[in-house]
Amino acid sequence: MDYYLSPTHTQRFDLEIKNSQFITHVARTKGRDQAKAFIDEMRQRYPDANHNCWAFVAGVPNNAHLWDQSDDGEPKGTAGKPMLNVLQHSDFGETTVVVTRFFGGIKLGAGGLVRAYSQAVQEALTHTEHENIYPRLPVQLKISYPLLGKVEYWLEQSDIEITEKTYSDSIVLDLAVIERTWPEQKIALIDLCQGSLTLIEPDNA
């Protein structure tokens, strides 16, 4: 996958179905811990709601280990699962959706609940302000001290992130590179250092 979508900030969308209020919040969350923290924040914000149902794809969209969902008291399979299904088919990643329901006195039935929660997430994602996220690979760069200045300057002009620096007899820079742009950048970096560098990268970089 070249890139996926993720919210630029936490956003709210409101929907009313047969007097029930469905309040959908969409947030960017990296990993399960951030997703769970956002869900807890929504629960605390709406403690008097009948339900705070949720679903998340907390990493790249195809990483099933970072998917999860909850009906939060709605009949099993009528809220969290359909919410997650919409997320899975949306190209969104690093995203958590919480749908808060205030019951309006008219029961929707199982099918109605599935449609309502699906609609709440679908409409929210359709209008969510988002950005393109490009998957990154970890690369380790080892250089001598005299090269540090020009290498750091070059990295600042690129889309490469420096995640850590280690100083010893040489300098080790842990980088996060965008998979699609790294091959050309690697050639430029080797040329910049005139070959005086060591690169440790994953096999598919």
Side-chain angles (χ1 to χ4, degrees):
M1 130 191 10
D2 198 21
Y3 66 86
Y4 54 92
L5 313 179
S6 197
T8 55
H9 59 285
T10 300
Q11 296 161 62
R12 170 179 169 162
F13 304 91
D14 293 72
L15 180 67
E16 182 177 329
I17 299 176
K18 293 186 177 179
N19 296 335
S20 281
Q21 300 295 322
F22 293 85
I23 303 170
T24 304
H25 282 85
V26 184
R28 184 176 181 189
T29 51
K30 295 183 180 182
R32 284 182 171 273
D33 289 346
Q34 285 190 17
K36 295 288 190 179
F38 176 68
I39 293 163
D40 288 342
E41 179 186 339
M42 292 299 101
R43 283 174 174 155
Q44 292 169 19
R45 183 178 299 184
Y46 301 103
D48 55 337
N50 296 92
H51 309 279
N52 285 292
C53 305
W54 53 265
F56 62 70
V57 174
V60 297
N62 58 4
N63 184 356
H65 297 292
L66 292 176
W67 299 347
D68 208 349
Q69 51 82 21
S70 170
D71 297 311
D72 191 42
E74 291 282 31
K76 185 176 180 180
T78 62
K81 190 173 181 179
M83 289 169 62
L84 181 59
N85 185 58
V86 173
L87 260 181
Q88 288 169 330
H89 293 87
S90 68
D91 293 327
F92 272 80
E94 297 183 3
T95 301
T96 298
V97 177
V98 179
V99 178
T100 301
R101 182 188 181 195
F102 288 91
F103 181 54
I106 302 174
K107 291 186 176 181
L108 302 182
L113 287 172
V114 170
R115 289 190 294 273
Y117 281 101
S118 298
Q119 181 183 347
V121 176
Q122 184 64 63
E123 290 191 8
L125 293 180
T126 298
H127 296 94
T128 293
E129 294 180 24
H130 62 268
E131 60 183 321
N132 297 342
I133 305 297
Y134 293 87
R136 291 181 178 269
L137 298 170
V139 171
Q140 197 170 76
L141 169 64
K142 190 175 182 180
I143 56 174
S144 62
Y145 278 83
L147 287 172
L148 180 61
K150 68 177 182 180
V151 168
E152 282 191 319
Y153 178 79
W154 185 87
L155 290 171
E156 286 171 3
Q157 313 308 310
S158 75
D159 55 21
I160 297 173
E161 295 178 359
I162 301 175
T163 57
E164 191 173 347
K165 297 179 188 177
T166 305
Y167 299 93
S168 57
D169 55 331
S170 59
I171 297 169
V172 177
L173 301 176
D174 289 308
L175 309 176
V177 303
I178 294 176
E179 188 172 357
R180 70 185 184 93
T181 56
W182 172 240
E184 289 185 7
Q185 292 172 330
K186 177 167 65 173
I187 293 171
L189 195 53
I190 291 171
D191 184 59
L192 178 71
C193 297
Q194 297 180 332
S196 299
L197 79 171
T198 301
L199 284 171
I200 302 173
E201 52 188 324
D203 292 338
N204 61 336

